[in-house]
Amino acid sequence: METLYQADVAIIEVLQSWFLQYENVFISISNIFDPRYAFLLYSPIIFSMDWFIGRKLMWVIVAVEWINHLLKWLLHGERPYWWVHEADVYNGKGIPVPNIYQFYLTCETGPGCPSGHSQSTAAVWFVICDSFLEKYHAIVEKDNRISKLCWLLYFALLTTIGTSRIFIAAHFPHQCLLGMFLGWQVATRLRNINQKNFGILHYCAFTAGMLCSAFLVFEFLAVIGMDPMWTIDRAVKWCNNPDNIHLDTTPLYAMMRYCGFMFGMGFGFNSYSFATYTKETFSTQMRVVCATLSVGGCLLSETIVFSKENMAFFYFQAFVLNAFLSYFMIAVVPQMVALIWKTKEKAS
């Protein structure tokens, strides 16, 4: 494995030496396609514009995050910014430690394999591209260049995201490639999933199942003598700027995010308001308003500062917040917009 890591480090060094003047571009790309925006941006926008596609996208996002979380614990993947300092291949053998630059997004605290950015992007944009081509298949059939262009842009996007993660030394190249493959696989496997008959108990069971599976993996690693939280010590030890270490990049926080989101989905999709407004016809203007309000609410949640005095309570707050956000975009916002439009129509 060290041979692969060494080869990957060489690629990181080349990228940083060639494109260091474009660091702000790579940092922006990495930030924009952070997995959290799958919950805060893509979900509310796509759901507001199309209930069916949005629902499918939410399921894919949760599944991808869950799989990514478990694999990160099980695969025990290193991250470049700390591996170069810990690796035996450099220490004590007279080989100079590679000069890898760190940026404010570099110091993530979770294991590195597979890349969450690459996996999430591959899954989310597969659903978007596939759904677009399916929805407008009549137009696509007349000109197959549309389909080719769509998938070309898809792979170009994945390449760009992967390159940005490698450039900032948050991931090794093979971790990004694995993330892309897994994200694509999850999205294709779930493309025809039928969730319409799932009740609240189903969603609660799915949430409990994901939580239990994560805790089982956590306990399994602890029993065999592996610290599931080993990466936090590495991040604290080797991050050049302690201010760049954030708890919302830990696997436990990711678990609270996707489990809370699934929990809220259950109550949202089984709510009276969802059953009511989905029978109505929403104009494009109404859908844009829904998307704007939902995204606004989600981004506003980013300003909430959780108490960190008690870590159990910290993660509980993350669970509750994400449960509320999914319920908010599914049940609250569309119903509110529908009521506003009805009031306007009566007034006119």
Side-chain angles (χ1 to χ4, degrees):
M1 200 66 187
E2 284 197 343
T3 303
L4 177 60
Y5 282 143
Q6 274 188 284
D8 283 352
V9 166
I11 295 173
I12 295 171
E13 287 186 291
V14 169
L15 278 177
Q16 291 189 344
S17 64
W18 285 1
F19 303 109
L20 192 59
Q21 66 270 34
Y22 301 109
E23 64 175 272
N24 291 332
V25 175
F26 285 109
I27 290 172
S28 297
I29 292 170
S30 191
N31 188 40
I32 291 169
F33 291 94
D34 189 293
R36 75 180 189 275
Y37 288 128
F39 298 93
L40 301 177
L41 287 180
Y42 301 130
S43 289
I45 291 173
I46 301 301
F47 179 75
S48 297
M49 303 312 293
D50 189 298
W51 314 134
F52 176 76
I53 298 174
R55 189 173 186 165
K56 179 167 63 173
L57 180 66
M58 289 180 187
W59 269 85
V60 168
I61 289 170
V62 171
V64 161
E65 283 286 282
W66 171 56
I67 292 170
N68 183 263
H69 171 207
L70 296 188
L71 286 177
K72 278 187 172 179
W73 268 347
L74 290 169
L75 295 180
H76 204 74
E78 306 277 356
R79 287 189 186 269
Y81 76 92
W82 75 58
W83 181 81
V84 293
H85 300 287
E86 296 278 341
D88 293 334
V89 69
Y90 302 118
N91 296 320
K93 293 188 177 180
I95 303 175
V97 175
N99 183 27
I100 290 181
Y101 294 99
Q102 291 186 19
F103 308 92
Y104 81 91
L105 291 179
T106 298
C107 301
E108 296 197 6
T109 54
C113 190
S115 165
H117 280 67
S118 296
Q119 189 169 335
S120 175
T121 302
V124 167
W125 284 94
F126 178 88
V127 173
I128 293 173
C129 291
D130 184 61
S131 299
F132 170 80
L133 294 174
E134 184 178 348
K135 189 171 184 177
Y136 299 101
H137 68 278
I139 300 174
V140 173
E141 285 180 354
K142 294 179 181 178
D143 189 350
N144 61 4
R145 289 177 299 179
I146 297 175
S147 177
K148 291 178 180 178
L149 177 61
C150 189
W151 292 119
L152 179 63
L153 292 174
Y154 172 73
F155 287 111
L157 177 63
L158 294 188
T159 302
T160 303
I161 304 305
T163 303
S164 74
R165 301 300 290 164
I166 296 165
F167 174 85
I168 67 172
H171 286 292
F172 293 101
H174 74 273
Q175 296 172 342
C176 293
L177 290 173
L178 179 60
M180 294 174 197
F181 174 75
L182 291 173
W184 167 69
Q185 278 290 299
V186 172
T188 54
R189 301 295 179 187
L190 295 180
R191 68 191 303 182
N192 295 319
I193 186 173
N194 182 8
Q195 334 91 343
K196 291 183 179 180
N197 297 323
F198 291 154
I200 291 177
L201 289 179
H202 290 98
Y203 281 91
C204 290
F206 292 138
T207 303
M210 290 189 296
L211 282 170
C212 289
S213 65
F215 282 120
L216 283 173
V217 171
F218 186 95
E219 288 301 319
F220 168 74
L221 293 175
V223 167
I224 64 175
M226 295 175 63
D227 179 12
M229 307 302 288
W230 65 279
T231 54
I232 296 178
D233 290 336
R234 292 284 199 281
V236 171
K237 183 178 180 180
W238 295 114
C239 186
N240 291 339
N241 186 351
D243 293 336
N244 293 337
I245 301 173
H246 303 288
L247 287 174
D248 61 359
T249 61
T250 63
L252 285 178
Y253 187 89
M255 179 178 71
M256 292 298 106
R257 181 169 58 199
Y258 66 72
C259 286
F261 201 81
M262 173 64 83
F263 190 72
M265 283 167 57
F267 285 90
F269 288 130
N270 288 280
S271 65
Y272 173 77
S273 60
F274 179 77
T276 303
Y277 74 72
T278 49
K279 295 177 183 177
E280 301 178 13
T281 301
F282 272 57
S283 65
T284 301
Q285 187 180 8
M286 292 173 70
R287 291 184 179 277
V288 170
V289 172
C290 284
T292 303
L293 292 175
S294 295
V295 169
C298 289
L299 293 181
L300 189 63
S301 72
E302 291 273 87
T303 63
I304 298 174
V305 179
F306 294 149
S307 170
K308 298 176 183 177
E309 294 180 4
N310 183 301
M311 292 312 299
F313 185 58
F314 171 81
Y315 290 120
F316 174 74
Q317 291 173 97
F319 180 93
V320 172
L321 175 63
N322 283 280
F324 170 76
L325 288 179
S326 58
Y327 183 84
F328 174 73
M329 68 180 73
I330 294 168
V332 177
V333 171
Q335 181 72 357
M336 183 171 61
V337 171
L339 289 174
I340 292 172
W341 247 255
K342 282 184 179 179
T343 304
K344 286 174 60 179
E345 289 174 357
K346 289 180 180 179
S348 60

